[in-house]
Amino acid sequence: MNSIEVRQDFPILNQEVNGHPLVYLDSAATSQKPRAVIEVLKRYYEADNSNVHRGVHTLGSRATEAYELAREKVARFINAPSPEQVIFTRGTTESLNMIAYGYARLQLKAGDEIVLSPSEHHSNLIPWQQVAKVTGATLKYLPLQEDGTLTLEDVRQTVTPATKIVALAHVSNVLGTIHPIKEIAAIAHAAGALMVVDGAQSVPHMPVDVRDLDVDFLAFSGHKMCGPTGVGVLYGKRKWLEAMEPTYFGGEMIDIVELYDSTWKDIPWKFEGGTPIIAGAIGLGAAVDYLTKVGMENIQNHDMRLATYAMERLSELSDLTVYGPKPGKTRGGLVTFNLGQVHAHDVSTVLDAEGIAVRAGHHCAQPLMRMLGVISTVRASFYLYNTEADVDALVHGLLSAKEFFQHAIG
Ligand code: PMP
């Protein structure tokens, strides 16, 4: 994979910001879109736009075919046993809420346990808090090692026969830690619990095979994997999806409607009430085609190589605290750090003046920030279109920030 050639596929990258070539290091927040995806969206709206699963006219059939083909593509991408196990949602947040509301809220009771890690994104934390409040189930947190990793021994100690759900991010959006989901799923299953995986930061960056990992549910977002905003996926094992209640009731998701009761379509359509995310799903199908062509293993190796290079280069800078797995340990394609006591927003403002886009803040992980003893951090995240030169620009920008804030760093 040649990231300099890959860059040519992303028109947005070819611009200057504040008088400097754009260096986009915020793909963990949202990725940029290749021309192939933009073109598919344009073609869909120019030639095929119509509602799906309804009319019998030609455009309606074309749109329906394209929408359902996108489902097949996504199913193949994650090695789902069947396309019906792929539900199009608005994104990871909605997918996780659907599991919490449609499954956990109805199945759990007082005395049951939900096991989480303290480094979860708020979207894999607050829905479970809500489930616990309504059902009387309790939340239990796995202890995190200093570098943000989990030990299987701690998982074995924490998961008990009372555990009904283990819900974890595959890759932490703050620390870049990659959790051993396959091994954790095996522990969860041995205790009779379901494994729910937040794949927002893994599915875009590495091959994810739901059958190999043997997860019960997987949630991810299209916009972080070269697809459009507004579309995401909920994958589930058939038996759980069949047991799960829809979240949205109305048009499209019904079988028979009577005045006082109704029945639902089969999976996946019972979960897609109303006009579905047609263009979004078709765009996500195009993104999956694009990523498959580049090769997910190539992308994973590339992102990890850049993160390793970034760790090396950042270690040259004094006054920088880098969080997460230490150099030499496996991490996803991102680095998170602070410059002395300087607020992350200030560091990010100086970087922006040099055309460098990074994320600054609590990254929707306030409990983790508290554990790290900070209120915010700076995060640089890499994707297939980033190069070593982008990391060099980041280091240059950080040297400028150091100079600018010398008094505060002291
Ligand atoms: N989980 C993780 C690990 C994430 O990084 C994100 C996005 N920052 C989400 C969940 C939420 O994704 P979305 O906003 O697309 O629903």
Side-chain angles (χ1 to χ4, degrees), residues 41-322:
L41 287 172
K42 184 166 174 280
R43 222 177 312 129
Y44 168 72
Y45 278 123
E46 285 184 354
D48 301 330
N49 178 53
S50 190
N51 215 322
V52 293
H53 303 143
R54 288 180 163 89
V56 283
H57 59 73
T58 303
L59 293 194
S61 310
R62 268 194 235 150
T64 303
E65 265 171 40
Y67 181 68
E68 293 302 333
L69 179 63
R71 198 190 305 278
E72 287 171 26
K73 290 177 181 183
V74 172
R76 262 197 308 275
F77 189 65
I78 57 169
N79 198 26
S82 73
E84 294 92 66
Q85 288 165 259
V86 167
I87 297 149
F88 287 120
T89 66
R90 280 197 307 125
T92 309
T93 304
E94 186 171 70
S95 301
L96 292 167
N97 273 279
M98 283 167 67
I99 308 166
Y101 279 81
Y103 184 83
R105 202 170 51 101
L106 305 173
Q107 304 282 343
L108 268 57
K109 54 183 188 330
D112 290 342
E113 295 169 355
I114 303 167
V115 170
L116 308 169
S117 94
S119 59
E120 295 310 306
H121 187 283
H122 295 162
S123 66
N124 193 34
L125 199 157
I126 305 171
W128 304 117
Q129 291 179 346
Q130 297 303 107
V131 169
K133 275 185 209 162
V134 175
T135 62
T138 44
L139 301 183
K140 272 170 89 179
Y141 284 95
L142 293 162
L144 275 189
Q145 303 298 298
E146 210 187 316
D147 63 356
T149 54
L150 298 168
T151 72
L152 292 178
E153 193 40 45
D154 282 334
V155 178
R156 277 186 214 103
Q157 296 290 326
T158 313
V159 173
T160 72
T163 306
K164 293 294 174 275
I165 288 184
V166 178
L168 290 177
H170 196 170
V171 175
S172 158
N173 63 311
V174 180
L175 301 173
T177 332
I178 305 174
H179 295 308
I181 292 297
K182 187 173 173 171
E183 289 75 12
I184 297 174
I187 297 170
H189 291 152
L194 267 56
M195 184 76 219
V196 175
V197 176
D198 169 354
Q201 299 294 347
S202 62
V203 176
H205 295 276
M206 60 175 73
V208 172
D209 178 331
V210 289
R211 277 191 271 185
D212 177 53
L213 295 175
D214 196 22
V215 297
D216 296 282
F217 288 107
L218 173 74
F220 56 99
S221 301
H223 69 95
K224 293 182 199 280
M225 52 188 286
C226 297
T229 44
V231 67
V233 170
L234 168 61
Y235 157 82
K237 282 189 182 162
R238 183 176 285 274
K239 57 187 165 183
W240 309 133
L241 291 177
E242 281 170 354
M244 188 166 142
E245 278 285 306
T247 314
Y248 304 110
F249 300 89
E252 286 270 312
M253 48 78 66
I254 49 83
D255 181 19
I256 294 167
V257 177
E258 308 214 59
L259 282 181
Y260 295 100
D261 206 0
S262 302
T263 55
W264 322 139
K265 276 187 180 151
D266 290 334
I267 64 166
W269 302 286
K270 74 171 181 180
F271 296 110
E272 296 179 354
T275 298
I277 308 150
I278 308 168
I282 293 169
L284 178 55
V288 160
D289 285 343
Y290 179 81
L291 293 172
T292 306
K293 207 163 114 209
V294 178
M296 289 310 294
E297 273 172 20
N298 293 335
I299 294 173
Q300 179 178 21
N301 292 337
H302 168 80
D303 295 353
M304 285 186 174
R305 203 172 51 242
L306 274 191
T308 305
Y309 179 61
M311 293 288 284
E312 270 166 37
R313 291 295 325 267
L314 293 182
S315 71
E316 294 163 15
L317 299 175
S318 55
D319 307 313
L320 207 71
T321 309
V322 181

